[in-house]
């Protein structure tokens, strides 16, 4: 027993050094070579940081493409989903309110054309992406708010659509922050 | 086929392919043959010398267990005190507070037993020090404990009659130096280059494009995310786990992480075949487990792709399927796939919120954890399956009227009793504690705990019951995922799940090791025409039947009250 305990203590100490000190420091050293130097890739506009490439942001202004509803209000000091079950009546009421609000902000759009991700919260509350359909449906509103042509915006959306991995794995998506940065540059 | 489904199919096939080669490698490592990682030899010798380990000494099953339990108890004490005093220790750039004693109790146990039930959010409930020195460290060593346990059992199966389980310390060390560490380095680097942070900088504050102020939590997550999957641990750096865009930034990292969590459990099945020279048995076990997984996976994928009928009624379109709690970059198919893999494997990491899954998927997730041996966690999956085999052998023996045998040894009353106790333990822990929790919600909603029982449930009715059932099922399976709406950071949940975790980890390891030890000691009986062959397809089907019957008898009533009732009420 005593011998086992002594071995346990020493072995634990050795592995703490190997696994909790050397291993993460090694990964951090390699990580310095990655975009963002291991502390998250940032996007800048005119030399000023506009956000993290992979972390979604809150867009409430009608001039911008909106992302998904967020349970943490896009504050990445925390993260999480609504954890509402599919049959929860309060939850369904919230979704109904989001649909109504979307229709108010996007006149001329019919309810049946709204992609579900625009009225349901993501798992992390920080989802950076929407589907191409969810971007296209907002074009009309943004064109009106910015005095741009719809065609111009549809091209923008098409150019920012990220195809599935290798063309055959997973869904297509659009990074909302990147799309909006490009949108600001349109004249 | 659409790209979401091809993504799932390709990922699965890739996993099996990689796992097969890894299985060969594992058999070689523990069989003492030459491998590509022999450059680790000097490091291992150094570790043995510093720790005072005599690598040549063999252990019987009792010595093997004693060593394992001693070091596990030590980790428990160490982790508890680290978490209790984390606010006073260095490497806390965000100034996070200490954990309360009941939360530290739960968290320490949870990571020692390879479960990773997290009643805190990583961004605010941990410091960088505890994320690395407690969580990452325990994610390695708890997985290595499971792998060592199963390799010990393989050693007993290898010989006709033997006392030898191998040396626990040696197998444990090699599990890390030859398997977990090298693979983690590869996975961590892949993740880091795809956007998972690896640097030590603290929380950032930025102004968004629209002009709001937002904070972004960061930290050296890449290394931990790698071992969290390879070791079937599942505890995330961030609260949202692998749904978080910094923990799982794109579809490629999603494939890497989902593959990483299945690869060792599957490799160990093939390793069983190569190591003990029973390839046919390994193939039958692999076949039964894979069939079982498909039975859970297909309905879940269909349910998620079909979308939520209640949302359908509101009149919006669900072109890809249900999206509440899911991320656009993964989509419903890969989310459903992950939710099933993570529950059958005992990982418990999530890339979507299970609480918002469709009732059918919720049912399949629960079943995956109740059965807990379709592949199963690192090492322990096979041990759990071994218990089902003993029961199947026993029933088969009764049917043909012969003393049951497994691998040439008579299975007698003592072994069957142990197997029965381990099997019944799950049903007792899950249902007993769920009943207790439901009793508190119904009759003492105002009890003065940090979260009052009346406020525990995030959803009403059947789904609320599922939240409680899921929590204990997850604790019992050492899984760690949750229906996270549950208000579980209070003394009731922290303490009760803590005890469930401990019992459900160590008894199902002690039980199979004891059975294997007792059997290996017995006289070897050569096969005769009357022997019930355990490596036949017939026996595989029989084991599958036993698994279904035991779990249906144990859990059908509870499941009826939760996801099944919700399914029929959701139109």
């Amino acid at each position: 027993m005593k011998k086992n305990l002594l071995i346990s203590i020493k072995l634990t100490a050795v592995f703490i050094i190997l696994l909790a000190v050397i291993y993460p420091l090694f990964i951090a050293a390699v990580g310095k070579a990655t975009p963002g130097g291991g502390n998250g890739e940032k996007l800048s506009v005119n030399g000023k940081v506009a956000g993290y490439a992979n972390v979604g942001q809150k867009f409430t202004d009608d001039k911008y493409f909106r992302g998904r509803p967020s349970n943490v209000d896009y504050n990445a000091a925390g993260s999480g989903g609504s954890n509402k079950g599919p049959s929860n009546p309060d939850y369904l009421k919230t979704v109904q309110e989001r649909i109504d609000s979307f229709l108010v902000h996007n006149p001329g759009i019919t309810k049946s054309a709204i992609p579900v991700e625009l009225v349901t919260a993501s798992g992390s509350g920080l989802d950076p992406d929407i589907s191409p359909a969810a971007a296209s449906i907002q074009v009309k509103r943004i064109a009106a708010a910015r005095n741009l042509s719809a065609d111009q915006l549809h091209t923008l959306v098409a150019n920012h659509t990220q195809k599935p991995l290798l063309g055959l794995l997973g869904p297509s998506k659009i990074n909302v922050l990147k799309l909006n940065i490009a949108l600001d540059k349109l004249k | 086929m659409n790209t979401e489904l091809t993504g799932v199919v390709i990922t699965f096939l890739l996993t099996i392919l990689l796992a097969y080669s890894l299985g060969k490698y594992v058999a070689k490592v523990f069989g003492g043959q030459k491998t590509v990682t022999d450059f680790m030899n000097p490091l291992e010798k150094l570790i043995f010398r510093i720790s005072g380990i005599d690598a040549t000494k063999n252990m019987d099953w009792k010595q093997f267990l004693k060593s394992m339990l001693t070091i596990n108890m030590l980790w428990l004490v160490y982790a508890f005190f680290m978490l209790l005093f984390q606010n006073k220790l260095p490497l806390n750039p965000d100034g996070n507070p200490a954990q309360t004693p009941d939360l530290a109790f739960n968290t320490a146990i949870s990571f020692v037993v390879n479960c990773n039930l997290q009643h805190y959010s990583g961004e605010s409930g941990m410091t960088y020090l505890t994320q690395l020195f407690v969580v990452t460290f325990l994610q390695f060593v708890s997985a290595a404990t499971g792998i060592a346990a199963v390799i010990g059992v393989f050693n007993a199966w290898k010989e006709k009659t033997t006392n030898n389980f191998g040396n626990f310390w040696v197998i444990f060390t090699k599990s890390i130096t030859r398997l977990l560490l090298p693979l983690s380095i590869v996975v961590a680097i892949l993740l880091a280059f795809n956007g998972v942070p690896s640097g030590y900088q603290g929380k950032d504050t930025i102004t968004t494009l629209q002009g709001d102020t937002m904070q972004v939590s960061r930290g050296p997550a890449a290394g931990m995310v790698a071992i969290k999957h390879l070791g079937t641990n599942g505890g995330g750096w961030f609260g949202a786990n692998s749904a978080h865009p910094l923990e799982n930034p794109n579809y490629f990292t999603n494939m890497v992480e989902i593959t990483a969590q299945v690869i060792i459990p599957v490799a160990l099945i093939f390793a069983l075949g190569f190591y003990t020279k029973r390839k046919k048995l390994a193939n039958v076990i692999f076949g039964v487990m894979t069939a079982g997984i498909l039975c859970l996976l297909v309905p879940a994928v269909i349910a998620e792709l079909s979308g939520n009928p209640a949302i359908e009624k509101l009149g919006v379109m669900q072109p890809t399927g249900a999206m509440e709690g899911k991320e656009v970059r993964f989509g419903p198919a890969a989310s459903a796939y992950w939710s099933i893999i993570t529950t059958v494997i005992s990982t418990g990491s999530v890339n979507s919120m299970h609480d918002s899954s469709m009732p059918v998927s919720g049912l399949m997730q629960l079943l995956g954890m109740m059965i807990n041996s379709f592949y199963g966690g690192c090492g322990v999956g096979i041990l759990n399956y071994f218990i089902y085999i003993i029961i199947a052998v026993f029933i088969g023996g009764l049917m043909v009227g012969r003393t049951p045998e497994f691998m040439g040894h008579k299975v007698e009353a003592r072994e069957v009793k142990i197997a029965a106790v381990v099997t019944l333990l799950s049903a007792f822990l899950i249902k007993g504690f769920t009943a207790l929790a439901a009793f508190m919600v119904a009759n003492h909603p105002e009890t003065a705990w940090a979260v009052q029982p009346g406020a525990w449930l995030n959803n009403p009715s059947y789904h609320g019951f599922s939240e409680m059932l899921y929590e204990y099922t997850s604790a019992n399976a050492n899984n760690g995922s949750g229906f996270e709406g549950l208000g579980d950071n209070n003394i009731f949940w922290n303490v009760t799940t803590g005890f469930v975790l401990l019992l459900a980890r160590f008894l199902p390891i002690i039980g199979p090791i004891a059975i294997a030890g007792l059997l290996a000691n017995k006289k070897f009986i050569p096969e005769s025409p009357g022997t019930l062959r355990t490596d036949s397809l017939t026996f595989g089907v029989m084991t599958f039947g036993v698994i279904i019957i035991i779990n249906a008898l144990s859990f059908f009533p509870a499941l009826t009250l939760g996801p099944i009732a919700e399914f029929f009420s959701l139109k």
Side-chain angles (χ1 to χ4, degrees):
Chain A
M1 181 66 207
K2 200 176 145 207
K3 184 155 175 268
N4 273 340
L5 192 62
L6 215 62
I7 292 177
S8 298
I9 292 170
K10 291 185 203 161
L11 196 59
T12 300
V14 171
F15 274 124
I16 285 175
I17 294 167
L18 183 65
L19 304 172
V21 181
I22 299 175
Y23 166 64
L25 282 175
F26 174 73
I27 302 298
V30 175
K32 284 220 188 304
T34 66
N39 289 300
E41 187 188 350
K42 294 176 195 174
L43 299 176
S44 300
V45 178
N46 303 326
K48 199 176 141 286
V49 173
Y52 282 78
N54 288 324
V55 182
Q57 290 187 359
K58 184 163 73 173
F59 289 104
T60 44
D61 199 321
D62 276 348
K63 289 190 314 198
Y64 283 117
F65 286 97
R66 290 194 191 177
R68 302 186 57 193
S70 161
N71 197 55
V72 295
D73 203 26
Y74 283 106
N75 185 359
S79 57
S82 71
N83 288 309
K84 295 294 182 195
S87 61
N88 185 334
D90 290 340
Y91 159 68
L92 293 170
K93 214 180 285 165
T94 311
V95 175
Q96 182 62 54
E97 283 161 15
R98 289 184 191 138
I99 295 172
D100 295 341
S101 154
F102 189 87
L103 292 174
V104 170
H105 284 273
N106 294 271
I109 300 292
T110 53
K111 193 160 75 169
S112 60
I114 304 174
V116 70
E117 85 246 29
L118 286 176
V119 292
T120 49
S122 62
S124 61
L126 306 169
D127 195 340
D129 304 306
I130 52 176
S131 69
S136 302
I137 199 165
Q138 301 184 52
V139 160
K140 197 169 170 190
R141 177 191 83 226
I142 294 165
R146 290 193 177 236
N147 265 329
L148 292 166
S149 79
D151 284 349
Q152 209 178 349
L153 289 178
H154 278 300
T155 318
L156 183 79
V157 168
N159 288 341
H160 276 80
T161 302
Q162 289 170 265
K163 293 267 170 254
L165 185 64
L166 306 176
L168 78 168
L169 307 173
S172 299
K173 57 169 190 173
I174 295 177
N175 184 306
V176 182
L177 178 59
K178 288 182 185 165
L179 181 67
N180 280 329
I181 289 176
L183 177 65
D184 268 347
K185 288 183 186 149
L186 279 188
K187 281 286 159 324
Chain B
M1 212 189 305
N2 72 33
T3 53
E4 281 204 46
L5 284 176
T6 31
V8 169
V9 173
I10 301 260
T11 310
F12 184 69
L13 294 178
L14 206 66
T15 309
I16 302 301
L17 223 65
L18 287 169
Y20 185 80
S21 330
L22 190 67
K24 264 190 193 161
Y25 166 79
V26 170
K28 276 188 193 161
V29 165
F30 293 106
Q33 297 172 40
K34 266 196 182 147
T35 60
V36 285
T37 50
D38 282 346
F39 63 86
M40 287 287 195
N41 258 329
L43 177 69
E44 286 156 3
K45 283 200 180 118
L46 182 70
I47 293 175
F48 297 151
R49 209 173 63 219
I50 296 174
S51 315
I53 294 165
D54 177 5
T56 56
K57 190 177 160 267
N58 287 330
M59 297 181 179
D60 65 22
W61 68 271
K62 285 180 188 161
Q63 294 165 323
F64 194 90
L65 272 178
K66 272 183 205 156
S67 311
M68 173 188 296
L69 293 175
T70 309
I71 198 164
N72 271 271
M73 290 308 131
L74 176 71
W75 296 332
L76 210 56
V77 177
Y78 159 77
F80 177 71
F81 284 104
M82 288 286 279
L83 295 166
L84 212 52
F85 296 109
Q86 63 178 6
N87 59 329
K88 298 195 174 70
L89 297 168
L91 264 182
N92 183 9
D94 299 343
N96 289 338
Q99 294 201 347
T100 56
D102 55 310
L103 179 59
F105 170 78
N106 185 280
T107 310
I109 291 178
S110 183
F111 281 92
V112 168
V113 305
N114 195 255
C115 175
N116 302 199
L117 209 59
Q118 295 169 293
H119 290 174
Y120 61 87
S121 256
E123 293 95 333
S124 52
M126 281 276 181
T127 67
Y128 288 0
L129 185 85
T130 43
Q131 294 267 38
L132 297 173
F133 280 65
V134 176
V135 170
T136 307
F137 166 71
L138 288 178
Q139 287 181 333
F140 274 101
V141 295
S142 65
T145 300
I147 296 172
V150 85
I151 299 293
V153 170
F154 287 177
N155 280 332
W157 287 348
K158 219 172 141 181
E159 309 293 334
K160 286 186 173 164
T161 300
T162 180
N163 270 325
N164 178 22
F165 265 61
N167 185 311
F168 172 78
W169 307 118
V170 174
I171 302 173
F172 167 80
T173 302
K174 283 193 171 181
S175 302
I176 294 173
T177 53
R178 300 303 183 95
L179 198 58
L180 295 169
L181 187 59
L183 285 174
S184 292
I185 291 174
V186 173
V187 170
I189 290 175
L190 286 175
L191 294 177
F193 276 93
N194 278 278
V196 180
S198 54
Y200 284 70
Q201 285 182 16
K203 209 184 287 175
D204 196 9
T205 305
I206 55 166
T207 306
T208 66
L209 191 62
Q210 186 179 270
D212 304 316
T213 304
M214 92 185 258
Q215 292 182 305
V216 181
S217 283
R218 301 177 292 179
M224 172 176 152
V225 178
I227 184 60
K228 118 182 174 196
H229 286 115
L230 285 162
T232 66
N233 294 283
W237 184 275
F238 301 101
N241 209 295
S242 280
H244 196 292
L246 290 179
E247 192 149 339
N248 192 1
N250 57 43
Y251 201 82
F252 175 72
T253 57
N254 193 61
M255 284 177 71
V256 170
E257 290 180 23
I258 189 79
T259 305
Q261 62 181 294
V262 205
I263 189 167
I264 292 181
V266 179
L268 285 170
I269 302 165
F270 293 121
L272 155 70
F274 296 120
Y275 192 63
T276 67
K277 307 216 165 43
R278 288 188 173 83
K279 281 187 203 161
K280 214 174 150 207
L281 177 67
N283 289 342
V284 170
I285 293 178
F286 174 74
V288 171
M289 290 180 170
T290 307
I293 285 182
L294 290 177
C295 292
L296 301 174
L297 180 63
V298 173
V301 171
I302 292 174
E304 297 303 328
L305 287 177
S306 314
N308 181 352
I311 300 250
E312 188 92 48
K313 262 207 224 143
L314 300 180
V316 296
M317 99 176 150
Q318 302 189 78
T320 55
M323 284 305 288
E324 181 69 37
K326 297 191 180 63
E327 302 282 299
V328 169
R329 61 191 181 285
F330 312 137
S335 301
Y337 176 63
W338 183 303
S339 81
I340 295 304
I341 293 297
T342 197
T343 42
V344 294
I345 297 289
S346 113
T347 314
S349 63
V350 297
N351 76 344
S352 69
M353 295 301 128
H354 290 188
D355 215 346
S356 302
S357 299
M358 293 302 108
V360 171
S361 317
L363 173 67
M364 297 303 159
Q365 293 157 8
L366 280 162
L367 275 173
M369 293 188 291
M370 287 162 175
I371 294 166
N372 206 20
S373 68
F374 288 156
Y375 300 160
C378 266
V380 292
I382 294 176
L383 297 184
N384 290 338
Y385 191 86
F386 178 43
I387 293 289
Y388 289 124
I389 288 184
I390 295 294
I391 306 261
V393 163
F394 173 62
I395 294 173
L398 289 180
M399 284 159 78
V400 295
R402 273 180 60 114
T403 312
E405 285 167 21
F406 181 64
M407 293 192 177
H409 300 104
K410 279 198 173 119
V411 177
E412 288 165 306
R414 191 151 53 147
E415 291 84 44
V416 176
K417 272 185 205 157
I418 299 174
V421 167
V422 171
T423 311
L424 294 176
L425 180 76
S426 302
F428 174 72
L429 290 176
I430 294 174
K431 289 189 294 189
F433 279 105
T434 306
L436 181 65
F439 176 80
M440 292 309 294
V441 170
N443 293 312
H444 301 284
E446 316 248 299
T447 313
W449 288 325
V451 186
Q452 291 184 358
W456 281 350
L457 307 181
N458 192 38
N459 290 284
S461 181
Y462 311 122
H463 197 88
F465 177 78
S466 300
E467 288 181 334
M468 296 186 284
L469 178 64
Y470 194 105
E471 186 72 6
Y472 285 115
T473 306
S474 172
N476 178 71
N478 286 175
N479 182 278
S481 65
F483 272 13
E484 290 298 342
L486 185 72
D488 51 18
N489 186 9
N490 58 72
I491 194 159
F492 178 86
W493 288 98
N494 283 335
V495 171
T496 55
T497 53
F499 283 115
V500 173
L501 288 167
L502 271 183
L503 290 172
R505 165 74 167 181
F506 290 107
L507 292 184
I509 287 183
I510 295 171
I513 288 189
I515 295 174
L518 292 170
L519 286 183
N521 254 328
K522 293 183 188 183
K523 203 171 91 214
F524 183 80
I525 310 158
E527 232 169 62
S528 69
T531 308
L532 177 69
R533 294 187 62 105
T534 50
D535 59 358
S536 64
L537 187 63
T538 318
F539 185 76
V541 173
M542 164 127 188
T543 316
F544 191 78
V546 165
I547 293 175
I548 301 295
I549 291 167
I550 289 179
N551 284 286
L553 287 176
S554 301
F555 299 116
F556 185 70
L559 291 169
T560 312
L561 292 175
I564 296 178
E566 191 185 12
F567 173 75
F568 285 111
S569 69
L570 192 67
K571 298 246 168 45

